[in-house]
Amino acid sequence: MKKIILLILFLLIAVKVQAAELLVLASGLPADKLTTEEVNTLSAKQKEIYNARLRIGDIICVKPDGWQWGTSECLPTFIVIKLPGVAVETVKHLERPLTQIAVNIDGRTIKKNIKNKNFQIPENWIKNYVDLSQSVVTIKATPQQNTFMNNILEKTQ
Amino acid sequence: MKKIILICVIYLFILLANNCFAASLLKHTVRPSGSSPAGDFTTLAAAIAHLQASHSNLVSADVYAEISIEDNGHAWAEGDDTTSVTIDSITTDATRYLHIYATGNARHAGKWSWVKYALKLSDENGISFSSDIGYIRIDGLQVTLEDSSPPTNDYLFNMSDSANPCDVRISNCIAYGIDDDYRANVYGFAITMSGTPAGTVKIWNCIANNFRGGTTCRGFSATVSGTGNALYYWNCTAFDNHYGFYSPGTSTTAINCIANSCTDGFNGTFNSSSNYNASDIASDAPGANSRNGTNGDATFVDEAACPWDLHLSTSDSNAKGQGTDNSSAGYTTDIDMETISGSWCIGVDWITSGVSEDYYSGRGIGRGIGRGVLR
């Protein structure tokens, strides 16, 4: 009996340890306000940067449960989304940029950012959290968590 | 009397004008998770994202921005910062620039250290700065790659194209590659400049080591085109790379730089003002006063175990005191921030002829113990 209790306790601890926290951009960049006419006047280089820029909902970085965030890693710029039960390793890729292999002017291949972040939480969700002044949001275990994960947007070129 | 008062008034006006109209400082801190008090951010990527969202135009705000990476008594650990950093969408100019630096205990002591701030990537570019940010300074940072997946096309300090004009300064940084034979196109410092108006990129007291795995790997890589654009390497050390310094054009100048244990130390064409360099390969380093072959083979403190200690050994004679005074370039310290006096050395480290300066300096005592010079 003792062994079973110990096993249950161990499993509970193990489940609790496995968690990830996402730092998500909650504030837009000034470039978001450019009009279509203004965007059309940008040079090719500027357009690349404009298209690659960070957007509201972009996942800036992924850290393990219990990460002690900085004093400015909160609203108005960021929201922390906690995902209990999700291992960091399984969501670490969400912080990566979307890249493509391109050829530089000297002919060498380079890894070029198409989007500075590849994954984005829907903007309207983030705006809801901002309206509620929620700097920290915990998405509890299934099914809420499944819905959340399934709605993370993977950007395309 | 009136004249004196008038002169005083003009002087005061000039003084006030200089003070009133100088850009003010916008400073943010990055400290590891668990610091007390906490920093503003725990990763460099978050600090940059905050600037992009909230302070994207340093010029109109009339500020210069600093990102100070600190320790505050809570040491950085391997894997604390693993997020690739892209710096763009920030407007800068010559006096309202972005300055990123590691300071205090967060800053390496001239040798790779996992208890100092280090950005560790997994098959990604490290710190990339884009062609819309012209005025940026990076000082005292370490960047490396994980060895878990064979990386390709990863540039640790990466300027994929220059702003026009630009003034980019990278100093006292270490790019540490990994030894994996499956990788290709992995560079420590990759600088591409093109277009006009012309700009400059200055890299000094920086180390690129272990970019060895494939024949396309480079410690310091340059691609400079466009009239007047110029890239300078000063007092840099390339060690155990396929290419140490790679320059296909004449707009790249290398002075007081050393390439040792590379397959090709200095590849390509360098500006004719390049000089006082060293390579352990015959007829390799550019410049009439450069040292090559056995005369260019420096003795470092530790070349046996990776990560190496590329400070000059007190027994060295091929780099110690063999450089040229480059103080006119605007720096007078070595990678340890020790003030250079007397003869300059080749590479990142400065030691005096005969006895290591570290023997005497308080900071150097710790290093000296590590080197064995205080036994």
Side-chain angles (χ1 to χ4, degrees), chain B residues 317-366:
Chain B
S317 59
N318 287 328
K320 185 171 63 184
Q322 302 291 353
T324 185
D325 185 335
N326 202 33
S327 53
S328 60
Y331 68 100
T332 53
T333 52
D334 73 353
I335 194 169
D336 305 309
M337 299 306 288
E338 285 163 331
T339 302
I340 300 168
S341 62
S343 299
W344 283 54
C345 300
I346 303 176
V348 296
D349 188 28
W350 171 79
I351 61 174
T352 55
S353 297
V355 182
S356 168
E357 91 288 1
D358 301 321
Y359 189 92
Y360 298 106
S361 70
R363 181 175 171 180
I365 286 171

Side-chain angles (χ1 to χ4, degrees), chain B residues 175-197:
Chain B
Y176 179 26
I178 52 169
D179 203 359
D180 184 334
D181 285 336
Y182 296 104
R183 67 192 173 171
N185 291 317
V186 180
Y187 301 170
F189 297 81
I191 305 296
T192 301
M193 302 179 74
S194 66
T196 55

Side-chain angles (χ1 to χ4, degrees), chain A residues 30, chain B residues 19-28 50-66 89-93 95-97:
Chain B
N19 286 330
C20 291
F21 300 122
S24 50
L25 170 63
L26 173 71
K27 183 176 176 178
H28 293 96
H50 173 76
L51 284 183
Q52 290 166 326
S54 304
H55 309 282
S56 66
N57 194 330
L58 303 185
V59 176
S60 65
D62 197 21
V63 295
Y64 66 100
E66 285 187 2
S89 306
I90 300 172
T91 305
T92 57
D93 69 10
T95 56
R96 289 156 296 196
Y97 51 84

